C-alpha cells in the first residue's frame, strides 16, 4: 500500500511539474501586438471582399442548383420567384443599406492599402453629377472604397451628396450577389439605371462610372497611365440629357495593386481576351498579387499600396434632351481637359514623376 501511495504521489508531482512547465512555456510565447492584430484584421477585410466579388455569385448559383435536388428544393424555388418579382429593382435605385456602408470592416479594408479621398472643389446638393472614375485597374478598389463604403468620408467631404457606383448589369442576375451589390449602393451601368438615379431621385446624386471598363483593365500594370476614353462618349450624352455635371476623378496607385500578364496587341491570347470581353462584358485577366501568409508570396490578394482618389472640378453641363453629336464632342473635350488638369496638378503629390503623362486612347 505504501508503495502504491508513493507511486501516486510521484505521478501527481510529475503532473504538476509538467503543467507548470507548459504554463511557463505558454506565458513565454509573445502575445500579438496591437499592430499585428490590426494587420490581421485588415488582411481578413480584404480577403472577404475579394472572395465576395470573385466567388459569391457563382457559389450562390451552384448552391441553389444543388438545393433543387434535395429536400430543401422549396428554398431556391421561392428565391427565384422573388428575383423574378424583384427583377427591375437594380435599375430603379436598388436597395442601399446605410448600415452596410458603415461596417467597421470597411475601415480595416481602407487601412490595408491605405485608401484616401481628396476633395478639390465643392459639389452643390442642388445638382446631380456623373463622376468619371479612372483608371479601372483590376478590381476598382479605389472606386469601391470611396464611393460605396463610408470609410473615407465621402459624405462628410461632400455634404448632401449621395454616391452610387455602376458595374456590369450581368452581376445583378446572379443570386445573392445582386442583393450584396444593391445594399452597398451599386447599380447597373445601363442607360435606364443611370437615368433613373439622375431624374427620379431628386438632386444631390453622384453616379460614379468607371469609364474605361474591361478594355482598360487589359493594359493595367504598375507605372502605366493609359486610359480608354477617346471614343467613350455615352456618359457625356447621359449627362447632357439630364443636366448632370461631369466630375473627373483619378485614383493614383490603382494600377500598382496587382501584377498582370499583358499580351501584346495582335497576339492570339489578346484576341481571345477581346472576344470574351465582347461576349461577356468583362475581360479575363491573368493577374496575381500577394499570398495570404506573406506579402512576398504569390496569391490573389492585392498588394498593400497606397491609393489616393482625387475628385476634381465639376464641368457645368446644360440639360439638352436630344444633344447633337457636336455638343457631345464639345463637352467630352471639356471633360478630358478637366481630367488632364487634375492629373497634372496632382501626379507628383501621389507617387508619379513630373515627366509622367496621361495617355488617352
Amino acid at each position: 500500500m505504501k508503495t502504491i501511495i508513493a507511486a501516486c504521489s510521484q505521478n501527481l508531482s510529475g503532473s504538476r511539474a509538467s503543467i507548470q512547465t507548459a504554463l511557463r512555456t505558454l506565458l513565454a510565447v509573445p502575445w500579438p501586438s496591437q499592430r499585428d492584430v490590426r494587420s490581421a484584421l485588415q488582411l481578413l477585410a480584404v480577403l472577404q471582399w475579394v472572395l465576395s466579388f470573385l466567388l459569391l455569385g457563382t457559389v450562390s448559383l451552384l448552391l441553389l442548383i444543388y438545393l433543387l435536388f434535395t429536400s430543401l428544393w422549396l428554398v431556391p424555388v421561392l428565391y427565384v420567384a422573388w428575383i423574378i418579382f424583384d427583377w427591375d429593382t437594380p435599375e430603379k435605385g436598388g436597395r442601399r443599406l446605410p448600415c452596410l456602408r458603415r461596417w467597421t470592416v470597411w475601415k480595416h479594408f481602407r487601412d490595408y492599402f491605405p485608401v484616401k479621398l481628396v476633395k478639390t472643389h465643392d459639389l452643390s446638393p442642388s445638382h446631380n453629377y456623373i463622376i468619371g472614375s479612372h483608371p479601372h485597374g483590376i478590381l476598382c478598389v479605389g472606386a469601391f472604397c470611396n464611393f460605396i463604403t463610408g470609410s473615407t468620408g465621402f459624405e462628410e467631404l461632400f455634404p448632401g451628396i449621395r454616391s452610387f457606383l455602376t458595374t456590369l448589369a450581368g452581376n445583378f442576375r446572379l443570386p445573392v450577389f445582386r442583393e450584396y451589390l444593391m445594399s452597398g449602393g451599386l447599380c447597373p451601368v445601363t442607360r435606364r439605371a443611370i437615368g433613373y438615379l439622375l431624374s427620379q431621385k431628386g438632386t444631390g446624386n453622384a453616379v460614379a462610372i468607371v469609364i474605361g471598363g474591361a478594355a482598360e483593365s487589359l493594359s493595367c500594370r504598375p507605372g502605366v497611365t493609359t486610359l480608354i476614353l477617346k471614343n467613350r462618349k455615352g456618359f457625356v450624352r447621359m449627362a447632357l440629357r439630364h443636366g448632370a455635371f461631369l466630375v473627373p476623378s483619378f485614383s493614383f496607385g490603382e494600377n500598382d495593386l496587382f501584377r498582370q500578364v499583358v499580351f501584346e496587341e495582335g497576339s492570339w491570347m489578346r484576341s481571345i481576351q477581346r472576344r470574351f470581353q465582347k461576349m461577356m462584358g468583362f475581360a479575363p485577366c491573368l493577374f496575381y498579387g500577394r499570398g495570404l501568409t506573406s506579402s512576398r508570396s504569390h496569391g490573389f490578394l492585392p498588394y498593400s499600396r497606397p491609393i489616393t482618389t482625387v475628385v476634381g472640378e465639376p464641368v457645368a453641363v446644360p440639360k439638352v434632351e436630344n444633344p447633337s453629336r457636336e455638343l457631345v464632342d464639345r463637352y467630352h473635350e471639356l471633360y478630358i481637359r478637366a481630367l488632364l488638369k487634375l492629373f497634372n496638378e496632382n501626379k507628383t503629390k501621389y507617387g508619379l514623376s513630373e515627366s509622367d503623362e496621361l495617355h488617352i486612347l
Side-chain angles (χ1 to χ4, degrees), residues 138-282:
I138 297 293
L139 294 179
C140 303
V141 172
F144 177 86
C145 191
N146 288 298
F147 303 128
I148 291 301
T149 79
S151 61
T152 56
F154 183 91
E155 293 179 354
E156 289 74 25
L157 287 173
F158 302 101
I161 304 296
R162 296 177 296 276
S163 61
F164 299 85
L165 178 63
T166 58
T167 186
L168 292 174
N171 289 329
F172 295 89
R173 306 300 178 238
L174 294 172
V176 181
F177 191 44
R178 70 191 294 274
E179 322 298 342
Y180 177 77
L181 295 176
M182 283 193 291
S183 64
L186 284 103
C187 63
V189 61
T190 62
R191 283 187 225 174
R192 183 184 177 191
I194 297 171
Y196 184 92
L197 292 172
L198 296 177
S199 63
Q200 302 298 318
K201 296 181 73 68
T203 59
N205 300 295
V207 183
I209 303 175
V210 186
I211 297 169
E216 196 171 275
S217 66
L218 291 177
S219 59
C220 166
R221 58 185 184 272
V224 173
T225 51
T226 300
L227 304 181
I228 306 297
L229 179 59
K230 187 175 292 185
N231 295 318
R232 300 290 175 99
K233 300 179 181 179
F235 73 102
V236 178
R237 186 171 286 105
M238 287 294 296
L240 285 164
R241 284 177 178 171
H242 298 283
F245 288 14
L246 291 168
V247 183
S249 73
F250 195 93
S251 293
F252 294 91
E254 181 73 45
N255 285 346
D256 298 332
L257 303 182
F258 293 95
R259 302 292 182 268
Q260 182 181 183
V261 179
V262 179
F263 300 100
E264 297 297 328
E265 290 291 346
S267 65
W268 65 275
M269 280 298 296
R270 191 71 162 191
S271 299
I272 291 176
Q273 288 178 315
R274 294 291 189 194
R275 290 177 184 175
F276 192 93
Q277 174 196 334
K278 289 181 180 179
M279 290 187 297
M280 304 300 293
F282 65 94

Side-chain angles (χ1 to χ4, degrees), residues 9-321:
S9 299
Q10 189 174 12
N11 288 337
L12 288 172
S13 299
S15 298
R16 283 196 297 269
S18 299
I19 293 173
Q20 290 172 354
T21 302
L23 287 173
R24 282 196 295 269
T25 303
L26 182 62
L27 292 173
V29 175
W31 289 89
S33 63
Q34 290 185 350
R35 181 179 178 181
D36 293 333
V37 173
R38 283 197 302 269
S39 297
L41 290 174
Q42 292 167 11
L43 190 64
L44 289 174
V46 173
L47 176 64
Q48 67 81 26
W49 180 78
V50 171
L51 291 178
S52 295
F53 268 81
L54 295 182
L55 298 177
L56 181 59
T58 303
V59 171
S60 299
L61 178 61
L62 294 175
L63 179 60
L64 287 178
I65 294 174
Y66 168 75
L67 290 176
L68 278 173
F69 301 96
T70 69
S71 58
L72 298 175
W73 60 270
L74 189 58
V75 173
V77 169
L78 290 175
Y79 184 70
V80 170
W82 160 253
I83 290 180
I84 294 173
F85 173 78
D86 195 53
W87 191 259
D88 289 335
T89 299
E91 296 197 335
K92 293 182 178 180
R95 277 189 302 273
R96 57 189 289 156
L97 299 176
C99 59
L100 181 67
R101 295 164 67 96
R102 292 194 296 265
W103 271 0
T104 303
V105 69
W106 301 130
K107 294 181 180 179
H108 298 304
F109 179 87
R110 171 201 65 194
D111 294 339
Y112 171 84
F113 298 96
V115 181
K116 182 182 179 183
L117 181 64
V118 176
K119 166 186 171 180
T120 61
H121 292 78
D122 291 329
L123 299 182
S124 171
S126 61
H127 298 288
N128 284 324
Y129 303 89
I130 290 180
I131 300 178
S133 179
H134 310 275
H136 182 284
I138 297 293
L139 294 179
C140 303
V141 172
F144 177 86
C145 191
N146 288 298
F147 303 128
I148 291 301
T149 79
S151 61
T152 56
F154 183 91
E155 293 179 354
E156 289 74 25
L157 287 173
F158 302 101
I161 304 296
R162 296 177 296 276
S163 61
F164 299 85
L165 178 63
T166 58
T167 186
L168 292 174
N171 289 329
F172 295 89
R173 306 300 178 238
L174 294 172
V176 181
F177 191 44
R178 70 191 294 274
E179 322 298 342
Y180 177 77
L181 295 176
M182 283 193 291
S183 64
L186 284 103
C187 63
V189 61
T190 62
R191 283 187 225 174
R192 183 184 177 191
I194 297 171
Y196 184 92
L197 292 172
L198 296 177
S199 63
Q200 302 298 318
K201 296 181 73 68
T203 59
N205 300 295
V207 183
I209 303 175
V210 186
I211 297 169
E216 196 171 275
S217 66
L218 291 177
S219 59
C220 166
R221 58 185 184 272
V224 173
T225 51
T226 300
L227 304 181
I228 306 297
L229 179 59
K230 187 175 292 185
N231 295 318
R232 300 290 175 99
K233 300 179 181 179
F235 73 102
V236 178
R237 186 171 286 105
M238 287 294 296
L240 285 164
R241 284 177 178 171
H242 298 283
F245 288 14
L246 291 168
V247 183
S249 73
F250 195 93
S251 293
F252 294 91
E254 181 73 45
N255 285 346
D256 298 332
L257 303 182
F258 293 95
R259 302 292 182 268
Q260 182 181 183
V261 179
V262 179
F263 300 100
E264 297 297 328
E265 290 291 346
S267 65
W268 65 275
M269 280 298 296
R270 191 71 162 191
S271 299
I272 291 176
Q273 288 178 315
R274 294 291 189 194
R275 290 177 184 175
F276 192 93
Q277 174 196 334
K278 289 181 180 179
M279 290 187 297
M280 304 300 293
F282 65 94
C285 302
L286 298 180
F287 66 90
Y288 65 90
R290 60 156 290 177
L292 184 61
T293 58
S294 169
S295 60
R296 290 184 292 273
S297 61
H298 292 323
F300 57 89
L301 296 178
Y303 293 107
S304 55
R305 303 286 189 268
I307 303 173
T308 303
T309 300
V310 184
V311 179
E313 182 178 4
V315 177
V317 175
K319 186 175 182 179
V320 182
E321 189 172 343

